[in-house]
Amino acid sequence: MMMSRFMSLVAALLLAVAGLMPAGCDSSVSPRGKLSGDAAEPLTVLVAASTREGVEEVVQRFRDSTGLAVRIAAGPSNALAQQIMAGAPADLYLSANEHWADAMVDAGLSADRQTVLKNRLVVVAPRGNPAGVRVLEDLVGDRVKYVALAGEQVPAGMYAGEALETAGLLETLEAERKIVRGHDVRIALAYVEEGEAEAAIVYATDALDSGKVETVATIAADTHQPIRYPLVLVDRRPVRPAARKLYEFMVSGEAAAIFRKYGFEPATAEN
Amino acid sequence: MFTAAELDAIWLSLLVATVAVVASLPLGIGLGWLLARRHFRGKSLLETLLHLPLVLPPVVTGYLLLVLFGRHGWLGEPLERWLGIRLVFDWKGAALAAAVAAFPLMVRSIRLAFSGVDPRLVQAARTLGASRWNAFRTVTLPLASHGIVAGAVLAFARSLGEFGATIMIAGNIPGVTQTIPLLVYTQLETPGGLKHARGIVVVSIVLAAGALAVGEYLERRGRARLGTIHD
């Protein structure tokens, strides 16, 4: 019957694909184990969500000049650190705070480390500022139903929590159940972009990026830990020369100039 | 024994799953009956739409729900303006996400149950003078009841585990929308949090297993009652 002829054809195709799979597999899982990388495997950089666009341009400049393959994954710094500590094959890690870079050092995973970027916190609202937020204290007012922050372990969420605590507002906001924690700072931003939250505390660089929000208040830098982005060269035992090359490029003045376009201030040796 | 956050999560999960199932059951029964008993133009389209939540990635389902039911969404805006109902960042949004995710499972089970009901029994009831609704209520429904129960239980268990769509539309707010899966996920993202999650994971398994056991019991009882009707 037609049906069983078709089914045996499907079965044959599946078997053929299954048979060809081992032959087609690339050799990126080297016999030395997952931690060390094969020479042919692309470089992998895990970066804080807020730096994604800047890193994409920096990496593209690197690709153009060296011809090396690089993969980028962006996300909340805490989750990325977790992944690397659990064995994820990353060559570089750009964290949005020193805390998660320290965690990498404590875990013996850092071959080199340098702070490359600085940032600031701002309060953003949907375009048009429907709740009329002018200062941080307005967040506890009646017109603001939800304030979006990044997660409690995410650097942006930690800085924001600190700033709110310094201003004496954190407890009130938590008691009023006004705080919505996004998976990372970009989700917090998205909540405001979509008008679901009347305000969010995000990085000044995120506010620049988005056309759907406006910056309504600034947050004094002395109300929280200085916002610093350390770049970690992950010790994959051994560190691949290509990874070292990318690391050197990302801490260079050329990369700093690119990051400046996105609103990041470069970190100098003094600060 | 459990932290406040864990107790909140357990309570929220039970609330969300119960509301999701109870609210979608009438529609599930209606659609299950319709698909089992009637042929009409657009039936395949309806079936495809119904199966979408089963095959779409849950975050995509969540995104679609957000677009529809968000503050500026087609359905969300009127809901908020005229009924004052807000779904985003609210347990009701979590219930909606769970209901949508579980609906295909519920309908499949109910439809199967209805197609197993012998139409001649219904015809017999009609010839004896029962109205359509009466025949449905006293003949079809009881005969299909074990399938309906199975569908409800499956939907309940699925709702307990709903994550992707929930986190999109309801957010992850402790005490307000943080259901058990969301709490476990938050613990996973915290270094050292895994060991704290053990208790809540056990609770999650017990709840799901309990739901299935209750469903099994109800189903068996339903079938036993049917046995006496036939005799």
Side-chain angles (χ1 to χ4, degrees), chain A residues 5 29 45 48 99-100 127 130 165 167 203 259 268:
Chain A
R5 283 260 290 276
V29 182
V45 295
H99 176 88
W100 293 115
R127 225 190 353 221
E165 187 150 14
Y203 296 118
F259 279 118
T268 61

Side-chain angles (χ1 to χ4, degrees), chain B residues 3-19:
Chain B
T3 67
E6 286 171 337
L7 289 171
D8 275 342
I10 295 171
W11 158 248
L12 264 173
S13 281
L14 289 172
L15 172 70
V16 163
T18 307
V19 169

Side-chain angles (χ1 to χ4, degrees), chain A residues 101-124:
Chain A
D102 291 340
M104 298 284 294
V105 172
D106 292 340
L109 287 167
S110 169
D112 208 343
R113 168 189 179 161
Q114 185 170 328
T115 302
V116 287
L117 303 171
K118 297 196 288 187
N119 210 337
R120 286 170 299 121
L121 280 186
V122 294
V123 181
V124 295

Side-chain angles (χ1 to χ4, degrees), chain B residues 68-148:
Chain B
L68 264 179
F69 289 97
R71 289 184 94 179
H72 304 301
W74 278 14
L75 294 172
E77 216 206 321
L79 264 176
E80 192 179 351
R81 190 142 34 106
W82 294 331
L83 295 172
I85 296 180
R86 174 100 187 246
L87 293 168
V88 179
F89 301 155
D90 193 86
W91 69 265
K92 302 185 214 67
L96 174 69
V100 168
F103 201 58
L105 291 173
M106 180 192 276
V107 172
R108 277 171 82 98
S109 212
I110 296 179
R111 173 189 184 163
L112 198 61
F114 278 129
S115 23
V117 172
D118 189 345
R120 290 173 301 174
L121 292 170
V122 182
Q123 279 165 15
R126 299 292 313 279
T127 58
L128 288 171
S131 69
R132 281 193 124 108
W133 171 246
N134 222 304
F136 177 77
R137 196 171 53 83
T138 56
V139 179
T140 315
L141 211 49
L143 286 173
S145 66
H146 59 270
I148 295 176

Side-chain angles (χ1 to χ4, degrees), chain B residues 26-58:
Chain B
L27 186 62
I29 292 175
L31 277 174
W33 180 85
L34 190 69
L35 290 172
R37 282 268 169 267
R38 292 277 180 274
H39 289 283
F40 48 92
R41 281 235 320 252
K43 184 170 175 179
S44 319
L45 181 64
L46 180 62
E47 283 170 329
T48 309
L49 277 174
L50 269 176
H51 278 88
L52 271 180
L54 256 186
V55 296
L56 278 179

